[in-house]
Amino acid sequence: MKELRIRVLAGVFVVAGVLSWAAARLWNSVGTLPSVPLAAPIVLALIAAVLAATALSLRARLRAQRERRPGAKGVDPLMAARAVVFGQASALVAALVAGMYGGTGVFLLELLDIPARRDQAIYAGLSVLAGIAVIAAALFLERVCKLPDDEDQNHPGAEPVA
């Protein structure tokens, strides 16, 4: 499985932000700009919490398994792979959504004198922060589930595997 690249996530964020900013300008000139929902940062924060809780749980179980503690529950490799795929998908969607709300929020900075638009800008900013939290939790989960490289398995003094 390929690792997530921060450059890819940043690229998705920037492209979505620029397109969203341009679309917000166009939409506002034609009619009324749709509002940023209050639920957006809440849902993103919940996803970040689920990813972080999963990563912490897997890390504790893997540590107990590595230390050979009695009664330690092992980690099913398929479950760990599914968790990583969920984390990667969540990070990509969060980068896209955070970019969209970031672009909309930048556009709304011009309209802060209107109370409703000021609230929308706050919701957009919170959505960007929650999206970054999702990305951070997904990267942490991926790091927890990462298998050691082949070089790490060959310890000094050990016979090479042929």
Side-chain angles (χ1 to χ4, degrees):
M1 193 177 312
K2 287 183 140 183
E3 258 185 60
L4 274 178
R5 302 259 184 221
I6 293 179
R7 286 180 294 201
V8 171
L9 296 173
V12 169
F13 176 83
V14 168
V15 168
V18 169
L19 291 175
S20 177
W21 173 79
R25 287 183 58 88
L26 179 66
W27 202 323
N28 194 51
S29 68
V30 173
T32 60
L33 183 68
S35 64
V36 177
L38 174 61
I42 295 170
V43 170
L44 287 169
L46 286 174
I47 293 170
V50 167
L51 287 171
T54 302
L56 292 173
S57 172
L58 286 173
R59 185 175 72 167
R61 288 173 59 185
L62 287 169
R63 181 178 293 147
Q65 185 178 2
R66 228 181 351 234
E67 294 172 356
R68 301 184 192 276
R69 292 183 194 156
K73 288 175 58 177
V75 176
D76 180 29
L78 188 58
M79 194 268 304
R82 286 179 181 154
V84 170
V85 168
F86 173 65
Q88 288 181 344
S90 298
L92 286 168
V93 170
L96 179 68
V97 170
M100 287 173 36
Y101 286 128
T104 304
V106 168
F107 171 74
L108 290 172
L109 290 177
E110 300 170 3
L111 307 170
L112 288 180
D113 54 336
I114 304 168
R117 293 301 183 192
R118 183 175 37 248
D119 292 343
Q120 299 296 309
I122 291 170
Y123 299 156
L126 290 174
S127 296
V128 171
L129 291 176
I132 291 170
V134 169
I135 292 169
L139 292 173
F140 177 59
L141 175 62
E142 185 178 61
R143 187 168 202 211
V144 164
C145 294
K146 185 176 181 181
L147 293 173
D149 293 335
D150 289 336
E151 297 88 31
D152 294 343
Q153 292 178 358
N154 294 332
H155 300 290
E159 292 185 18
V161 178

